[in-house]
Amino acid sequence: MIKNISNLGDAALYCDFGNEVNKEINTNVINYFKNLKKSNITGVTNITPSYNKLVISFDLKITNYTKLKKKVENLELKKVIGLDKSLIKIPICCDKEFALDINRLEKILKLDGAKIYEKFFSKSYYCYMTGFVAGMPFLGDIDKSLYAKRLETPRIKVPKNSIGLTEQFCNIYTFESPGGWNIIGKTSVNIFDNTKKTPNLINPGDTVSFYQISKSDYEKNYE
């Protein structure tokens, strides 16, 4: 549940669910997020969930911090629809052309590439949030033996659809963008498509698994 609600600037509530990053806390965040969206509270302009926080922006001409805080505190939480979705399976090509940082990870983790991929592909991952760039999923929790810090010098351009690791998370770059995550491969599937009614393939609360494909299959299936 929410531990504290405070002001964030002049027109937003900052809902704090705690400092830890885990599935239980994040499920509470998503629960509030979905119930708040469904409630259509007058004056709310945007609701932004993260790992363990929720920001609720509002229009000062319509409501204010005190009124909105009271509504959030008295919100009747109903069962969340959409947290138990089917597993989303994402293909990855780990060819050297796409695995930009596998050699770096081998040195840092003291594991050979085959072992790194074995550990990575052996788990399913929970989507904590999307953000940074549109639709980018932040997926946890990777095997602790694969924890690695970001690159000391981030890349100016990370190729679209690259899969990266850092600390307890993996992600998928939905657009070419700057970034410092350790890149281990590339998917042939578009994770974000703003021409669709539901642009995100992966949303908070989803579970994701990855499977490896060859470069020829990647080239054949690239969307």
Side-chain angles (χ1 to χ4, degrees):
M1 297 297 109
I2 299 176
K3 292 184 178 296
N4 184 53
I5 299 177
S6 58
N7 268 317
L8 182 64
D10 294 329
L13 265 67
Y14 182 80
C15 303
D16 183 5
F17 290 75
N19 295 322
E20 294 181 35
V21 178
N22 59 49
K23 187 174 179 179
E24 181 181 358
I25 288 178
N26 187 253
T27 299
N28 286 331
V29 175
I30 296 170
N31 195 3
Y32 270 88
F33 170 69
K34 289 182 176 289
N35 276 281
L36 283 164
K37 285 191 72 174
K38 192 173 181 179
S39 297
N40 291 317
I41 298 174
T42 302
V44 171
T45 57
N46 194 43
I47 309 170
T48 308
S50 69
Y51 302 127
N52 48 26
K53 306 292 187 289
L54 189 68
V55 174
I56 307 169
S57 303
F58 59 89
D59 187 338
L60 275 170
K61 295 177 182 178
I62 300 173
T63 189
N64 59 47
Y65 169 79
T66 303
K67 289 179 181 178
L68 188 54
K69 181 174 182 286
K70 188 174 181 179
K71 288 183 179 181
V72 173
E73 290 173 334
N74 295 326
L75 182 69
E76 182 181 354
L77 293 175
K78 298 179 182 178
K79 184 179 178 181
V80 175
I81 304 299
L83 284 184
D84 299 316
K85 294 182 181 179
S86 300
L87 183 69
I88 299 170
K89 297 183 178 181
I90 303 294
I92 301 179
C93 178
C94 301
D95 187 84
K96 289 184 178 180
E97 178 185 345
F98 304 137
L100 307 179
D101 297 307
I102 193 63
N103 292 337
R104 177 180 188 268
L105 287 174
E106 287 179 324
K107 293 176 183 177
I108 292 173
L109 303 175
K110 296 180 172 55
L111 295 170
D112 63 36
K115 194 66 178 176
I116 291 172
Y117 286 119
E118 179 186 334
K119 288 176 176 288
F120 177 75
F121 286 114
S122 68
K123 293 191 67 174
S124 296
Y125 301 92
Y126 173 83
C127 182
Y128 280 89
M129 59 175 283
T130 60
F132 179 62
V133 295
M136 177 185 282
F138 286 73
L139 309 169
D141 298 275
I142 67 174
D143 190 289
K144 287 186 178 180
S145 64
L146 300 184
Y147 282 22
K149 293 182 179 180
R150 289 174 170 80
L151 304 182
E152 288 80 4
T153 303
R155 290 185 173 87
I156 295 175
K157 293 181 179 180
V158 177
K160 177 184 175 181
N161 287 358
S162 293
I163 286 82
L165 308 181
T166 192
E167 299 170 350
Q168 74 188 73
F169 298 104
C170 59
N171 75 356
I172 306 172
Y173 283 80
T174 50
F175 290 88
E176 179 182 85
S177 66
W181 292 47
N182 299 277
I183 306 302
I184 62 167
K186 193 175 183 183
T187 183
S188 55
V189 175
N190 278 327
I191 307 302
F192 179 82
D193 185 349
N194 60 8
T195 66
K196 295 181 178 179
K197 185 177 180 180
T198 305
N200 289 13
L201 177 62
I202 303 169
N203 293 283
D206 286 343
T207 300
V208 177
S209 69
F210 296 95
Y211 63 96
Q212 193 167 355
I213 58 172
S214 65
K215 189 174 181 182
S216 61
D217 284 340
Y218 168 87
E219 292 170 344
K220 187 190 305 180
N221 297 315
Y222 185 78
E223 296 181 1

